[in-house]
Amino acid sequence: MPKELNPKADQPTVVAEPILGQVLVCVVFGLIGAGLGWLIKVIAKWLVTLPWAPMQGPAKLLASIPEPGLTIGVVAAGGLIGLVGGAIIKFSELSVSVDDDRVVLTRKGEPREFAASDVAMAFLDGKQLVLLGHRTEELAREDCDQERRRLSVAFSAHGYTWADEDPYKKEFQLWVPESKKLPAQAHVLLKAREELLRKPGSGDQLRELRGELVEAGVVVRDKDKRQYWRTLKR
């Protein structure tokens, strides 16, 4: 049994892609990049035979490089780009460290730590790892590609409650602007989140607004660019 599936209570259990798996992904991306580099060379040489084809300038410039330098160059450049791309993807994945005292979620080298006494429950909601506090507030909701079984074993082994699904999912309802079910402050925050949902790279701002909504007594989740909400338990 792999180490992370047979955790020791006095040691942190780390749920992350094994180093070998990360290396293999980078190698695969590198090979794909090298193949694309070779294909670009073939296409460039084909384009120069078609005077009416677009991008004649770049194609002629590339095709003018003598062999075998051309092939070595495009394959090496494509492979390097692929390797870097694969490394960036793996670096962006969430790793989860669980021990008796805390849970640490790390993405892009930036850890977020949660004390065990604050975590009432953990579960996967689709492809997102969720940590709930004792008022049913969401302490964290992070995209997570790790296996459900590995996460379940890690949390359970260290005394945390693991749920197979969100026990409060039926309480969520679609946000309707100006609804009298919510206070004005919550509507302002949800309106701001609605605008951010349309913008790429706004994850940090969305997380910050999610925290402000918790302070207003509201939990929010997103589905198909729409917001659903429920209130905290008192």
Side-chain angles (χ1 to χ4, degrees), residues 131-164:
L131 304 181
L132 292 187
H134 296 286
R135 292 188 300 141
T136 73
E137 75 275 22
E138 289 187 358
L139 304 174
R141 177 180 282 269
E142 295 286 344
D143 292 337
C144 181
D145 293 323
Q146 307 303 334
E147 295 178 5
R148 180 183 299 270
R149 187 169 74 94
R150 295 176 67 194
L151 291 168
S152 172
V153 169
F155 279 93
S156 299
H158 292 282
Y160 298 86
T161 299
W162 175 266
D164 291 331

Side-chain angles (χ1 to χ4, degrees), residues 150-225:
R150 295 176 67 194
L151 291 168
S152 172
V153 169
F155 279 93
S156 299
H158 292 282
Y160 298 86
T161 299
W162 175 266
D164 291 331
E165 61 180 5
D166 185 352
Y168 306 104
K169 66 179 182 180
K170 293 183 179 179
E171 297 182 18
F172 283 95
Q173 51 188 301
L174 179 65
W175 173 59
V176 178
E178 311 306 328
S179 168
K180 294 182 179 180
K181 296 180 180 181
L182 287 169
Q185 180 187 4
H187 282 298
V188 171
L189 295 171
L190 288 166
K191 179 63 177 177
R193 286 190 86 258
E194 182 182 47
E195 295 175 0
L196 287 172
L197 283 172
R198 305 190 187 103
K199 299 178 181 180
S202 56
D204 291 340
Q205 293 170 289
L206 288 169
R207 185 183 297 115
E208 182 178 345
L209 288 174
R210 184 187 296 277
E212 293 184 30
L213 279 164
V214 167
E215 294 179 5
V218 176
V219 178
V220 64
R221 63 182 295 190
D222 306 315
K223 183 178 180 181
D224 300 328
K225 302 299 181 181

Side-chain angles (χ1 to χ4, degrees), residues 42 62 89 93-94 147 179 190 197 225 230:
V42 173
L62 189 62
I89 290 174
E93 289 186 351
L94 184 74
E147 295 178 5
S179 168
L190 288 166
L197 283 172
K225 302 299 181 181
R230 66 170 173 82

Side-chain angles (χ1 to χ4, degrees), residues 4-234:
E4 59 266 34
L5 294 185
N6 187 22
K8 296 180 180 179
D10 59 342
Q11 297 180 358
T13 303
V14 178
V15 183
E17 184 74 22
I19 296 297
L20 179 58
Q22 297 182 38
V23 171
L24 288 176
V25 168
C26 292
V27 170
V28 169
F29 271 79
L31 292 174
I32 292 174
L36 289 175
W38 179 83
L39 183 61
I40 289 173
K41 179 203 75 169
V42 173
I43 292 175
K45 288 191 172 184
W46 175 62
L47 285 177
V48 297
T49 66
L50 306 172
W52 49 266
M55 301 184 68
Q56 283 292 310
K60 289 180 179 179
L61 179 63
L62 189 62
S64 66
I65 300 174
E67 293 287 6
L70 174 57
T71 299
I72 294 174
V74 295
V75 170
L80 179 61
I81 293 172
L83 282 171
V84 172
I88 291 174
I89 290 174
K90 302 310 295 183
F91 185 60
S92 299
E93 289 186 351
L94 184 74
S95 68
V96 183
S97 176
V98 186
D99 63 33
D100 293 353
D101 299 319
R102 63 188 179 275
V103 177
V104 182
L105 307 181
T106 304
R107 189 189 303 278
K108 296 181 179 179
E110 298 182 1
R112 297 176 64 206
E113 185 174 315
F114 305 88
S117 58
D118 294 334
V119 180
M121 181 183 302
F123 58 87
L124 274 181
D125 183 14
K127 281 290 188 177
Q128 294 181 320
L129 176 64
V130 180
L131 304 181
L132 292 187
H134 296 286
R135 292 188 300 141
T136 73
E137 75 275 22
E138 289 187 358
L139 304 174
R141 177 180 282 269
E142 295 286 344
D143 292 337
C144 181
D145 293 323
Q146 307 303 334
E147 295 178 5
R148 180 183 299 270
R149 187 169 74 94
R150 295 176 67 194
L151 291 168
S152 172
V153 169
F155 279 93
S156 299
H158 292 282
Y160 298 86
T161 299
W162 175 266
D164 291 331
E165 61 180 5
D166 185 352
Y168 306 104
K169 66 179 182 180
K170 293 183 179 179
E171 297 182 18
F172 283 95
Q173 51 188 301
L174 179 65
W175 173 59
V176 178
E178 311 306 328
S179 168
K180 294 182 179 180
K181 296 180 180 181
L182 287 169
Q185 180 187 4
H187 282 298
V188 171
L189 295 171
L190 288 166
K191 179 63 177 177
R193 286 190 86 258
E194 182 182 47
E195 295 175 0
L196 287 172
L197 283 172
R198 305 190 187 103
K199 299 178 181 180
S202 56
D204 291 340
Q205 293 170 289
L206 288 169
R207 185 183 297 115
E208 182 178 345
L209 288 174
R210 184 187 296 277
E212 293 184 30
L213 279 164
V214 167
E215 294 179 5
V218 176
V219 178
V220 64
R221 63 182 295 190
D222 306 315
K223 183 178 180 181
D224 300 328
K225 302 299 181 181
R226 294 187 294 179
Q227 300 181 98
Y228 293 79
W229 65 273
R230 66 170 173 82
T231 55
L232 297 182
K233 301 298 182 183
R234 299 296 181 183

